[in-house]
């Protein structure tokens, strides 16, 4: 391979991946035929799981390497186009693939913060980071901090932040892998986690970045086919046009009409009142749980006794007995149940208009919603431009020129999925509002029953007012169901559901791989090689890197198998942390020669610190952890939600770096030269900072 | 190494382009986002405009901006003789 020129290399990559994509489509068609001939669904699930993971394993094994530059940065010869695909897969996680459209379904316009935030951040990557980091050309993001700001302090904070952000994120990915595996194969969740872990490790263990890059390209191809196929099909059925991103306006208009009808429909109001009554009732009971529990239990017992005494019909007695055995065992169990019922109040509201921005009961509430929307967009964008596993990918292109193009391709490939998700949400809403609502409970669509059986949190429909007709307020859809059920709603065979699962798995595996590698590399390269033993041999460095990869993977899988409760919050928090820790120090490091070591160290610490402080004061789980008891409302600044704490951390980080830098001596001549070096793709007689 | 006037001019032009693109990014994201409710009054092909900008419009602009920057910068590199050679 070493004798190949870059152009030949690119040619053969194109050939191999075209063959691969063709082969994969042929595989799906074969399975579709097999399904028609009677292959059971569970086997289709197995086929997808083992075939795709097997494929990734093969690529992983073929890409094994003992070369440091190959291991850390894939030999720096990944063409812009392919690096774009790899970044796309690296970026799009299980949450993007499976959860995003569902989030948009539930939140309407306000969910678009994720769509804009997770794409607009690439503009910052392109303008401020990718080309300069590529010119710098070492192995990790802490590398840049260490080199630019000197000493081990800046590097250490970088390592800490990189591990913090990536670890919470990777736990969520492994959790996603476990969930998908168990849903589609019927394996237990814990087993699913470790099967998935195997899938992750075969991609990265032997070949590091090189293996991860080429499997990520393969994973991107699968995930994008799996995402687009059902949506396009659904779009053709509903709007008679195969480009849903342009044509779902029709469906959106219909949805808006239906929202107005549903809002005033007497049957809907009846169901909403039932829900509201239940919620109010539960709230009252929660005020004095012990008394309410005793009273309820006595009433249930009395009812049974009365029925028996009156010689009531046996089915009535049986029902009363059943409700008594189902009665919560103690006050705590009853409290949990009432707290849940109190939450029904949320469902008692009429549907929120899908396209309406910043919903609130009055102008003040709407303004806070708007502020939070924009703050979240800001944190997600700056966080995107600061997450080490993404920035690292731009070290792998052959040149600065290709690094610039590569950001464009990255966003293009991400964009294909992200600009489809809002249309998918509306198309599914159209189907639910026009077909499911108003249909009879006797003939619910098949997908409802089949997914409720897999996992009742995904979908549940109960006839609350007993009229035999489905009302919107009677339907509860989990976030993930929107993508999972699309193939069935569109009337596609089960094989497409299997394909969607394979796509979700590819999204989770690829992201997990990128993250694991980031953590292991920060520890092996930055901590071990740069700080502990700079004279370590190549062989020893790689051995350490691979060992750490295994250890980190095992820890992450163990945490994931505990099903940590606040995983979603942690993932979103990772963006605020990355934004506050890295973005100001990286950008000023490139664009402001005066930025000094002390400035960067204190700026990073201050940014991280205030972000963490704000979250600890306002986020329920962290408040519990740190024993914060003062009212949340007193601790809020401008009503900003804890998830967007980075909106304070980033400006503070910039301010501290600037002020402290001006108070401390300017960086030495060597650092000044380094900055000039990264600013120009090529200077005659220039220094060379590329790591070997 | 000493930077020449031309090198400095290259950097100034880069900064100017970066600033303009950043301004566009800001307007598309935050100004349009701020007025989303008002822009939603305008409906085109069934799409409230503010909603469509958040869901699709802004994304399309981001993609175009990044490619535009790459193409312009790669040209600028050659013009100012700071482009990398092969490898």
């Amino acid at each position: 391979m070493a004798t190949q020129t870059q152009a030949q290399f690119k040619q053969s990559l194109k050939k191999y991946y075209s063959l691969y994509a063709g082969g994969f489509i042929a595989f799906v068609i074969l399975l579709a035929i097999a399904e028609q001939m009677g292959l059971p669904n569970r086997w289709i699930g197995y086929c997808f799981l083992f075939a795709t993971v097997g494929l990734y394993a093969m690529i992983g094994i073929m890409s094994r390497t003992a070369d440091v530059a190959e291991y850390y940065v894939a030999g720096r010869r990944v063409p812009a186009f392919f690096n774009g695909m790899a970044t796309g897969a690296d970026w799009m996680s299980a949450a993007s693939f499976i959860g995003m459209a569902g989030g948009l379904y539930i939140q309407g316009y306000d969910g678009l913060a994720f769509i804009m935030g997770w794409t607009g951040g690439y503009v910052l990557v392109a303008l401020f980071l990718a080309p300069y980091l590529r010119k710098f050309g070492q192995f990790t993001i802490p590398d840049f901090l260490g080199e630019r700001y000197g000493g081990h302090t800046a590097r250490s904070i970088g390592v800490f932040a990189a591990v913090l952000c990536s670890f919470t994120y990777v736990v969520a990915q492994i959790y996603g892998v476990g969930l998908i595996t168990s849903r589609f194969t019927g394996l237990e969740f814990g087993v699913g986690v470790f099967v998935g872990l195997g899938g992750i490790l075969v991609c990265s263990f032997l070949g590091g970045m090189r293996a991860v890059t080429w499997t990520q390209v393969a994973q991107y191809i699968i995930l994008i086919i799996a995402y687009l196929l059902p949506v396009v099909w659904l779009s053709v059925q509903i709007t008679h046009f195969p480009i849903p991103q342009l044509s779902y306006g029709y469906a959106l208009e219909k949805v808006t009409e239906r929202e107005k009808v549903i809002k005033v429909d007497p049957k809907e109001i009846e169901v909403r009142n039932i829900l509201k009554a239940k919620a109010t009732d539960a709230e009252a009971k929660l005020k004095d749980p012990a008394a309410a529990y005793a009273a309820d239990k006595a009433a249930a017992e009395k009812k049974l006794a009365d029925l028996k005494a009156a010689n009531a019909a046996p089915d009535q007695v049986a029902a009363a007995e059943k409700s008594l055995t189902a009665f919560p065992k103690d006050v705590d169990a009853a409290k949990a149940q009432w707290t849940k019922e109190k939450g029904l109040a949320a469902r008692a509201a009429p549907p929120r208009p899908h396209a309406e921005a910043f919903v609130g009961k009055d102008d003040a509430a709407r303004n806070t919603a708007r502020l939070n929307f924009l703050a979240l967009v800001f944190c997600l964008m700056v966080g995107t431009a600061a997450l080490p596993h993404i920035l690292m990918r731009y070290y792998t292109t052959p040149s600065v020129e290709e690094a610039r193009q590569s950001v464009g391709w990255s966003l293009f490939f991400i964009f294909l999925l992200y600009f489809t998700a809002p249309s998918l949400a509306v198309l599914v809403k159209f189907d639910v509002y026009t077909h499911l609502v108003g249909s009879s409970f006797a003939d619910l669509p098949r997908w409802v029953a089949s997914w409720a059986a897999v996992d009742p949190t995904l979908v549940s429909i109960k006839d609350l007012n007993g009229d035999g007709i489905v009302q919107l307020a009677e339907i509860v859809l989990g976030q993930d169901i929107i993508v999972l059920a699309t193939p069935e709603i569109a009337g596609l065979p089960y094989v497409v559901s299997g394909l969607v699962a394979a796509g979700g798995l590819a999204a989770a595996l690829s992201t997990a791989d990128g993250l694991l590698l980031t953590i292991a590399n920060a520890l092996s390269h930055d901590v071990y090689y740069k700080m502990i033993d700079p004279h370590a041999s190549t062989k020893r460095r790689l051995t350490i890197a691979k060992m750490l990869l295994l250890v980190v993977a095992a820890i992450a899988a163990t945490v994931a198998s505990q099903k940590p409760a606040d995983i979603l919050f942690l993932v979103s928090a990772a963006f605020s942390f990355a934004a506050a820790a890295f973005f100001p120090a990286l950008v000023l490091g490139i664009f402001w020669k005066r930025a000094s070591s002390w400035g960067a160290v204190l700026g990073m610490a201050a940014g991280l610190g205030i972000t963490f402080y704000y979250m600890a004061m306002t986020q329920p789980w962290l408040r519990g952890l740190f024993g914060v008891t003062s009212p949340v409302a007193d601790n809020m600044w401008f009503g900003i939600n804890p998830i967007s704490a980075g909106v304070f951390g980033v400006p503070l980080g910039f301010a501290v770096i600037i002020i402290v830098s001006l108070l401390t001596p300017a960086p030495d001549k060597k650092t000044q030269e380094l900055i000039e070096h990264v600013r120009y793709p090529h200077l005659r007689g220039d220094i060379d900072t590329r790591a070997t | 190494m000493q930077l020449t006037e031309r090198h400095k001019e290259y950097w100034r032009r880069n900064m100017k382009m970066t600033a303009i693109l950043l301004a566009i990014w800001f307007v598309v994201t935050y100004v349009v986002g701020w007025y989303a409710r008002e822009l939603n009054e305008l409906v085109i092909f069934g799409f409230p405009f503010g909603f469509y900008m958040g869901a699709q419009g802004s994304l399309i602009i981001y993609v175009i901006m990044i490619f535009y920057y790459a193409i312009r910068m790669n040209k600028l590199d050659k013009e100012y003789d700071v482009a990398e050679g092969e490898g």
Side-chain angles (χ1 to χ4, degrees), chain A residues 71 205 542-552:
Chain A
Y71 185 87
F205 181 64
L542 284 184
T543 313
I544 298 266
K546 289 177 182 177
M547 293 300 295
L548 279 165
L549 191 72
L550 281 186
V551 173
V552 174

Side-chain angles (χ1 to χ4, degrees), chain A residues 286 289-290 293-294 327-340:
Chain A
L286 277 170
Y293 180 76
F327 203 74
K329 284 188 184 50
D330 51 30
V331 181
D332 282 339
K335 256 163 97 176
Q337 192 187 326
W338 292 330
T339 313
K340 218 168 133 193

Side-chain angles (χ1 to χ4, degrees), chain A residues 357 370 400 404 419 684, chain B residues 34 37 56 74 81-82 84:
Chain A
R370 170 162 71 184
V400 174
R404 291 190 190 116
F419 100 131
R684 290 174 205 290
Chain B
W34 184 266
R37 288 183 72 85
Q56 272 93 16
N74 291 344
D81 193 27
V82 292
E84 277 174 299

